[in-house]
Amino acid sequence: MTAGRRALDVQGLGVRVGRRWIVQDVSFEARTGELVAVIGPNGAGKTTLLEAIVGLRRASGTVRLQERPLAHFRDFAQAFAFLPDAGSLPPETTVRTLVDQACAGAPRGARLAKLREGLTIDALLSLPIGILSRGEHQRVALFCTLALARPVAVLDEPFSAFDPLQLRKVLAAVREDMGGDTSIVASIHQIADAQAIADRILILAEGRMVAFGDLASLRARAGGAAASLEDVFVSLLQEAPLAS
Amino acid sequence: MLRELAIALRARITWVACAVSSLLVGHGFILAVDLFSASSRSALTSKLQAREMDPLAGVVRPTLGGLALALALLGPLLAARPVAIEKERRTYGPLCLAVGSSVRVMATKTAAALLACALLFAAPVMLFIAYAFAGGHVDSLETIVALLGETLRMFVVVGGSVAAAAWTATFAQAATLGIALSLASWAIDAAEGFAALAWLGGAAAWSTDRKLLPFAKGLVPIGPLLWLSAMAIAYFALACVGGSFQRSARSKAIAGAAALLAGIAVMTGAGGIRRMYDWTEARRASLPQPVVAALRAAPGRIEIEVFLDRDDSRRRQVESDALQKIILARPDVSVRMPLDREERPSEAARSDDYGRIVVHAGHGVRETRSTSRRELVTLIFEASGQPLPDWAQPAYPGYPAVVEGPSRTFLVLLAYLGIPVAILVTGLQLSRRRTAR
């Protein structure tokens, strides 16, 4: 996928709790129309990093959107839509209530209709949130997040609830919605999924950035021209070059 | 707003709490009606006794006591939930980002919490209407004033609970803190009777229940109205600070402290305002109108010194009757209790001065040992050299009401069965979890 101009620029981002750095000195960028996957072992700080990027955690460093530094919460709110990991939509409501609320704040046009169709939302409208399956719940949550049409969508484990067949449809819908305007930064636990969908990958371990780039550059760094992302990931974390 | 209303009103806990509250209120109501009926039986044959039969004191106030209990203990559960549950579901931050402002989210959730707590008022209102149909007398204006007092209590409870939810991480923490805040006033009031809580006696000026007392008597006190409103607003400001992002823990603490201090400053200023309006039927909480007019026109300062101990029943009587009426007519009257600053001697060791009430008005001084309001007002005019105005006042007729037989059965069924079941059924219908598609 050909990405456009630089949309998101993160420089030296760090989050400290007490004396412990949860995330330290992370820098990367995302271009318009690009999907950046954040991968790392459990406890690497992926969720903390994403929360810091969208302004839900106080962090050192800078976050810029289209070269403009974000300082106040309203700046972050105008820049980002955020889908939390294991966030629970209110079971007291119906899908229609949440979809209507999301659409009310969204720019009108064919884009929303296409996204609804791609994520098969209309079939769920009359249902209460409380009876949705995990995959249906995640589709509704994803729709409500992407419908906001913010320049950058930050998604924490957005695809873990989908089976491979559903994942293809969801990804197709997400890619189509991105078009050339939106960037997505998503933490992805399944490395194979990240390889399949990401334009660039940020590898995080123990709160620090291990590597950032497209698959080709990561392979070159790990020394394995045809290696899978999983092999590259393991190699870079263990600092052991791949066998050619 | 629809989303927030659904979270607040489609939750089973909301309706269970309302049903429990309605039982508390209903039980208080039936006890009050029975006692009032028992007293009314003898009052029906005596005009003098009938005048003492005041439904506001005998029925409305005890019923609202159950509502006050429900607001204090169950209100925090309903009020803290909208914010706390959002945090537990990890959707509070994303919601603020989607809406664009944490303050707007907090405002919407506070509004939803207020609506949920307002459901607690359904039971007493329905019971008062039913009482009127059953032959009792309920004056709408003074009852509305009494309900206004409980509404102010609701605002304070909701504000405190939302603030508690904003500063804590879980619903359990928020509800516990909210209940502790709403019971703090009871602890202050209990300081007089419990040695273990005596250290709270100095905080008497911060008791919300004391501020709300005039409302239960059909009086609208401007100072307490502003005091309670300022408290609710300060809590809301505290909630906005607690629910905000992009602040360090230190800057949040400073901003929270600033919000609290600003609230305390306004509350301290409001506490000194003594203006009150009497909305009781036949204005029975006031002195006769000509006396009120003459008191207001009397020149110079009026000062009253009461040499009675805090636990002397005569002091409570003069404070709740004569002094309250004089202050209602003339808010700038200065009332001093010199014995409060002294160590209390035993009854046998009291000086001969004990029991005096000294009135300073204009250039004159008069004293008495009577707590009669007529006596005290007369001394004010004598001391200031003013003629005593006409004391004629339309008498409050009193409304004795004996509710028995089918009427009582109807009220009992309504209080213990009708209203709670209706609330439960409504709630179960709204909150039912559909399992089939």
Side-chain angles (χ1 to χ4, degrees), chain B residues 229-293:
Chain B
S229 303
M231 191 179 215
I233 292 170
Y235 272 143
F236 179 70
L238 204 56
C240 290
V241 171
S244 65
F245 302 94
Q246 288 301 302
R247 284 180 192 267
S248 66
R250 185 195 280 187
S251 78
K252 258 192 181 179
I254 292 171
L260 260 180
L261 285 172
I264 288 170
V266 174
M267 287 157 71
T268 305
I273 300 172
R274 297 163 96 197
R275 197 85 180 86
M276 261 194 278
Y277 293 93
D278 180 2
W279 286 10
T280 57
E281 190 176 347
R283 300 182 68 144
R284 63 188 182 283
S286 298
L287 297 166
Q289 269 306 106
V291 176
V292 170

Side-chain angles (χ1 to χ4, degrees), chain B residues 274-435:
Chain B
R274 297 163 96 197
R275 197 85 180 86
M276 261 194 278
Y277 293 93
D278 180 2
W279 286 10
T280 57
E281 190 176 347
R283 300 182 68 144
R284 63 188 182 283
S286 298
L287 297 166
Q289 269 306 106
V291 176
V292 170
L295 269 176
R296 287 180 181 165
R301 279 182 59 78
I302 300 172
E303 197 176 288
I304 302 174
E305 290 179 297
V306 179
F307 289 84
L308 289 167
D309 282 336
R310 203 176 272 138
D311 53 5
D312 194 322
S313 61
R314 287 176 293 165
R315 170 157 158 183
R316 282 195 288 274
Q317 198 251 324
V318 77
E319 277 179 328
S320 63
D321 183 22
L323 291 180
Q324 183 175 276
K325 287 180 164 67
I326 292 169
I327 291 170
L328 197 58
R330 181 87 185 240
D332 65 338
V333 164
S334 167
V335 176
R336 297 197 304 117
M337 309 287 178
L339 296 185
D340 287 357
R341 288 191 295 275
E342 297 170 10
E343 291 228 354
R344 290 199 208 172
S346 64
E347 278 202 38
R350 282 173 182 161
S351 71
D352 291 339
D353 280 345
Y354 186 83
R356 294 187 307 142
I357 299 177
V358 181
V359 176
H360 304 261
H363 298 293
V365 182
R366 296 286 188 277
E367 70 175 64
T368 178
R369 288 178 187 268
S370 168
T371 57
S372 153
R373 61 178 177 267
R374 190 151 186 171
E375 169 84 3
L376 288 176
V377 170
T378 302
L379 290 181
I380 290 173
F381 286 107
E382 277 183 13
S384 61
Q386 305 289 313
L388 184 67
D390 179 24
W391 197 269
Q393 182 178 26
Y396 176 67
Y399 296 96
V402 179
V403 178
E404 57 191 356
S407 298
R408 184 182 179 276
T409 307
F410 166 68
L411 289 180
V412 167
L413 285 174
L414 187 67
Y416 288 115
L417 209 60
I419 295 174
V421 167
I423 289 172
L424 271 177
V425 166
T426 307
L428 284 173
Q429 190 64 22
L430 281 173
S431 66
R432 75 180 199 275
R433 293 179 182 109
R434 276 188 280 155
T435 51

